Amino acid sequence: MPNPSLIRDLSRVVGRKLVLHEPEDLLVYEYDATIERGLPEAVVVPDSADQVAEVVRIARRHNAPVTARGAGTGLSGGAIPCDGGIVIVTSRMNRILEVDADNRIAIVEPGVINQDITDAVSGHGLYYAPDPSSQKVCTIGGNVAENAGGPHCLRYGTTTNHVLGLEIVTPDGDLVWLGGKTVDPPGYDLTGLVVGSEGTICIVTKVIVRLMDCPQSTVTLLAIFDEVDQASHAVSAIIGQGIIPAALEMMDRNTMRAVEEAVQAGYPPDAGAVLLIEVDGLEEETREQADSVRAVCEELGSRELRIGFSAEDRERLWAGRKGALGALGRLAPSYYILDGVVPRSKLPAVLRGVYEACDTFGFQVANVFHAGDGNLHPNIMFDERVPGATQRVLDLGEVIMRLCVEAGGTITGEHGVGYEKRNYMSWIFSEDDLDVMASIKLAFGATDLFNPGKVFPSSKGCGEVSSRMKAAIAKVGPDAYV
Amino acid sequence: MVKQASLLSQLQAIVGADGVRRDDELSNFAVDGLTPQAAVAPSSYEQVAEVLRYAHTEGLAVIPRGGGTHMHIGNVPGRYDIGLSLLRLDQVVEHEPADLTVTCQAGITLDRLQRHLGQHGQLVPLDPAWGEETTIGGILAANASGPSRHAYGAPRDFTIGLKVVTADGRITKAGGRVVKNVAGYDLCKLYIGSLGTLGVIVEAGFKLAPTPKVERTVIATFDTPGQACAFAADLQHRRLSLRAVQLLNATAASAVGLAQQGLCALVLDLAGTPQAVERSRREIGELAQDAAADLRDEENAAMAWQSRMRPGSAEEPYLLCKAATLPTHLPALIESLETVAGPPHILALPTVGVLYASWPRLEDAEAAIGRLRTAVTALDGSLVLERCPLDIKPRLDVFGDPPPSFDLMRRVKEQFDPKGVLSPGRQVGRL
Ligand SMILES: Cc1cc2nc3c(=O)[nH]c(=O)nc-3n(C[C@H](O)[C@H](O)[C@H](O)COP(=O)(O)OP(=O)(O)OC[C@H]3O[C@@H](n4cnc5c(N)ncnc54)[C@H](O)[C@@H]3O)c2cc1C
C-alpha cells in the first residue's frame, strides 16, 4: 500500500500530477517485455537530474527501493520493480542537450529515444551506431543500463564502445560526472563499469555519446540456403575471409514462414535459412567485400543471392528481418525471446541442439539473430493460457542457456541478466567472481536501493501475477513489439 | 615488517627457487627509484594467488610488472616490498581462428602474440610502443594504446575477458571468451588502466581483427598543426581506409627526418582492401593538392613506424606527458604547449584527441608543469605526466587534480584492496 507521506514527499519534488499511485495507473509499470511482473508503490516522472537526485534522497529516507525505467522494452525484467518501491520513469528527460558535430559527440538525457539521436545528427553526415532492433522506441538510458547491442554491432561494437561519459545519481542522492567529452580520463573507468550495470548501482541522468561518420556506400546481400547448417557455416567462412561485415543476421525457416505471411519478402517456402549480410565503407571496399561474400555463400551452397545497392532495394531486403518479431506474433499467442552467445564456430552445433531441445519440450522455435557475433535469439512460441506452458517455456529456456554455456558462451549477449537470468550467473561465475562484482555495489553504497533482486543470484521471487495483470498482458501482447 | 630472510624463504616455498629473483637482480624491479625487498616470477596463476595471499596476510606491498616498459606511469609508490613479474606466464591459451578471438597469458609480449596471430592472418589491434618487450598485462594495466586506435579503438573496446588475481589472492574472472557478453558488471573496464592497483591481470581475451590485405604509408607536410588537423578531420569524415593518423610537430618531425625544418608531418597509414586503399591514396593526393600540402609515399614504412612509435627522442625524455582534449582543440593545445617551456617533441593523434609531448630537458620543471596544467585545463583536457624527473615526482600527483568521481574511485579501491597491498599510491589521488 502506498505510504501517504512518501507520495507527499515525491509530489513536492515533481508535482502531484507526475506521481502515480492509484492501482490502475500503476498497472502499466508492472511489466517490461518479459514474463515477470512486479507492482510499484509509486511511479514518478521527473524532469531533471536534480529532481531524480531529490527523489533518490526521498526514497532513501523512506527505505523504498528505486527502479529506473526507460521505454520498458527490456527483455530481462530489468525495469520491473521486484520489491515494489518507486519507479522513476525517464520519459520527460528526453532532450538532446548538445551536438558537437566537429568532435562527433552529443550530450543527451536518458529518456531520449535511440533513433532520435541519429535523426538529430544525420544532417551532419553522422549517426549513432548501436542500433537495437527496438531503436524506434527504446531509450538511451535503457541502452546504457543493458549495454544494448543490435545488428550493426558486429563491426562497430555495442553501447559501451560509444559512450564517453555519464552523469549519474549515486545512492546518496549526489549528482556525479563519470568520464567526459575527451578520451582516457585519469583514474578508473567508471563509465565503462556503469554501462551494463542494469540500473543496480546508479541512475543515469546524462549520457555523452560518440557519433560516427556515415559510410559512403552500403551494400546488402541476402543469401538463401536450404539448410540452417549451411548458413551457419557461411557465417564463420565470411569472417574467416577477413571480412567483418557491418551486420550479419540469420533467420530460420519458421521465422521466414511468419515473415512471408506478414510482409511478403519473397522467401521460398522450402528454404531453410537466410543470411542478411551488410557491408559498408568506401564504394571500392563494399564492392570488393560483396564479391567475396557472394563467392563464399555460393561455395557453401546458397541457392539464391539477392543484392541491394540503393536505399530502397536495401530496405526491401531488410524488411523481412525488421518485421520478424512482429510477424512471429502470427504463429502463436505468445513467444519468449532468449538471448545467448556462443563462439561463432560453435553456431552449427548449438543451433542443432536448440532445435532438438525445442522438439523434446514440444514447442516451436523461430531463430532470428545476430549470427556474426554468435548471438542467438531463439523465440519460443507458446500459448500462456495453457496451464503450465509458461513454466515449461522457462525450463526450456534454461536448457538452451546451458547449451550456450557448455559451448564456451554466455547467458546473455545484449538483453541483460535482470531478474530472469540471475540464477544462471553461477553457471559462468564462481562465488569469488560474484563476490568481486558484489563489492562494486558496496563501493557505490547501493546494496538494496537500486533495482534490488536483479543480476545477482537469489531465491527470492519477483512480485505476483494477478489475474487482473493477465488481462493487461494480453492487451499488450506480442504486437506491442516494434 | 617481516625480515628479508624469512620473506625470501616464504616466497621460495611458493614459487620455488627458480621463481625468486636474486638480490643483484632487484634493481631491475625498481619503480620510481624504490627497490623491493624481494622479487618473484611465478609460473602459474595459483602461485600468483599464493604470493598475494601471503602478502595480504603480512600487509606487504606488491607491484606487478610485465616487460617494465610502462612502469614510469603512475605516482611514486607509497610502499613497495615485493616485485611480481608476470614474464613466465607467457602462453597463448586458446586461439580459434574461426572465432576471431584469442586468450593469452598476461606475460606474453605483444610481438610474440602478434607473430602467432599473424600466421593465421589475424592481429590483436594494439600497437603501443616497445612491442618486443611490452606485455599484454602491462598494456592493459596501463591502458596503453598506439596510433591504430584511430581505426580500432583502445584496449577497453576489444578486451572481452580477463582473469585477475585479487588483492587477497583469489583467482577471479571478468567477461568471457565470446565477443558479446553482458552477464554481470563489466569489470574488464575497471581493471584496464587500473595500473595494478585493483588486481593482478594474469590472462586476457580479445576480439581480433583480420590483417589488412594491403598497407601503405603516406606523409603530408604542413606549415601549421592547425592545417594538418583540419586535413585529418576531412579524411576522417570521408571514411577513407585509414588505420592510423599521426601528427608530428615540426620539432619531432625534423628530429626523425620526416619533414623539412619548420614543417609538421601528418603520417597516414592506409590499410584495407586493395582497391579501397588505392582510391584512398588517390583521394588524399587530390586533397593534398587542394591544400597545397606536400605529399610523399613512405617506402620504408616499418622503419618510420619504429622511430615514431617512441614518443620523444631516442634517449629517455626528461618529461613526457599525455594530454587528451577535444580534437578541435588540439591545434590550440599544441600551440600553447610549444610556448609553455622549451620546444617539445609532440606526437598527436588528431582524430582521437590525444597527444604525447616530451621535453629533453627543462629549466624549473615544476613551474613548467604548472603552466602545462593551466594550458590543458583551459582547453577542458586532461594531462598525465607519464615520465617525470624523480627529484620532483614525489611532490606531484602525476594525474593532476582528482576527478569529480574520485570519491567513488576511492571506495572502489577500498573494496578491492582494503589493505593497500596492490601498487599502493600509484593511481590518481594516490590510490
Ligand atoms: C522487439 C524488441 C527488439 C529488441 N532488440 C534488441 C536488440 O537488437 N539489441 C538489444 O540489445 N536489445 C534489444 N531489445 C531489448 C531492449 O530494447 C533493450 O534492452 C533496451 O536497451 C531497453 O531500453 P528501454 O528504454 O526500453 O529500457 P527499460 O526496459 O525501461 O529498462 C531496461 C533497464 O534499464 C534500466 N534503466 C533505464 N533507464 C535507466 C537510467 N536512466 N538509469 C539507470 N538505469 C536505467 C532499468 O532499470 C532496467 O534495468 C529488444 C526489445 C524488443 C522488445
Side-chain angles (χ1 to χ4, degrees), chain A residues 68-81:
Chain A
R69 182 183 178 94
T73 67
L75 288 169
S76 55
I80 298 169

Side-chain angles (χ1 to χ4, degrees), chain B residues 1-292:
Chain B
M1 180 69 68
V2 258
K3 290 258 172 345
Q4 200 197 10
S6 105
L7 173 66
L8 282 176
S9 71
Q10 290 282 351
L11 290 173
Q12 188 158 335
I14 299 170
V15 297
D18 58 342
V20 179
R21 292 292 157 257
R22 292 189 319 267
D23 270 5
D24 60 339
E25 292 172 291
L26 286 181
S27 60
N28 298 338
F29 284 79
V31 175
D32 288 341
L34 265 71
T35 308
Q37 304 177 53
V40 290
S43 59
S44 69
Y45 302 164
E46 193 41 57
Q47 286 184 4
V48 174
E50 238 183 287
V51 169
L52 281 166
R53 281 199 290 274
Y54 169 65
H56 193 255
T57 311
E58 300 292 340
L60 298 169
V62 178
I63 301 187
R65 71 191 285 134
T69 52
H70 292 88
M71 295 308 291
H72 52 276
I73 302 177
N75 284 316
V76 175
R79 294 174 296 125
Y80 185 17
D81 302 301
I82 302 173
L84 176 63
S85 165
L86 277 307
L87 285 179
R88 287 170 78 198
L89 296 170
D90 62 352
Q91 299 301 303
V92 173
V93 177
E94 186 177 83
H95 175 225
E96 175 57 67
D99 291 336
L100 210 62
T101 56
V102 74
T103 304
C104 63
Q105 295 186 325
I108 193 171
T109 62
L110 177 59
D111 279 6
R112 234 188 87 204
L113 179 60
Q114 296 292 29
R115 273 198 302 277
H116 173 92
L117 300 170
Q119 297 164 8
H120 303 274
Q122 300 181 348
L123 57 87
V124 58
L126 282 166
D127 59 347
W130 305 291
E132 70 279 16
E133 289 164 67
T134 197
T135 62
I136 289 301
I139 290 171
L140 294 178
N143 187 24
S145 57
S148 74
R149 81 184 272 187
H150 164 82
Y152 299 113
R156 77 191 293 283
D157 294 311
F158 45 81
T159 302
I160 56 176
L162 293 178
K163 270 217 171 84
V164 173
V165 178
T166 60
D168 59 358
R170 292 175 292 165
I171 303 170
T172 62
K173 80 166 186 177
R177 290 191 180 178
V178 282
V179 297
K180 244 172 127 180
N181 190 353
V182 296
Y185 297 149
D186 190 353
L187 296 175
C188 294
K189 300 288 187 295
L190 201 55
Y191 292 121
I192 294 173
S194 66
L195 285 175
T197 61
L198 295 179
V200 177
I201 299 169
V202 291
E203 189 178 291
F206 301 105
K207 267 205 273 204
L208 302 175
T211 310
K213 299 215 161 53
V214 181
E215 299 172 50
R216 59 192 288 186
T217 298
V218 291
I219 296 174
T221 54
F222 297 86
D223 289 334
T224 67
Q227 291 166 349
C229 287
F231 192 79
D234 192 14
L235 303 187
Q236 183 183 18
H237 198 56
R238 290 162 188 263
R239 284 192 47 164
L240 298 184
S241 300
L242 286 164
R243 180 177 53 195
V245 180
Q246 298 171 86
L247 168 65
L248 283 76
N249 73 341
T251 311
S254 67
V256 290
L258 283 184
Q260 287 171 356
Q261 199 71 41
L263 296 183
C264 56
L266 194 64
V267 184
L268 303 166
D269 292 304
L270 299 162
T273 58
Q275 289 172 36
V277 168
E278 192 51 48
R279 136 101 189 259
S280 300
R281 170 65 185 85
R282 206 171 49 241
E283 206 163 311
I284 291 169
E286 289 160 14
L287 292 167
Q289 214 156 32
D290 293 347

Side-chain angles (χ1 to χ4, degrees), chain A residues 9-27:
Chain A
D9 287 353
L10 293 173
S11 303
R12 218 169 288 139
V13 179
V14 297
R16 224 156 35 100
K17 285 214 179 84
L18 296 166
V19 181
L20 313 178
H21 55 90
E22 297 299 336
E24 58 275 21
D25 293 334
L26 296 178
L27 288 189

Side-chain angles (χ1 to χ4, degrees), chain A residues 318-333:
Chain A
W318 271 100
R321 168 66 180 91
K322 290 192 172 156
L325 279 180
L328 288 182
R330 298 173 167 243
L331 296 188

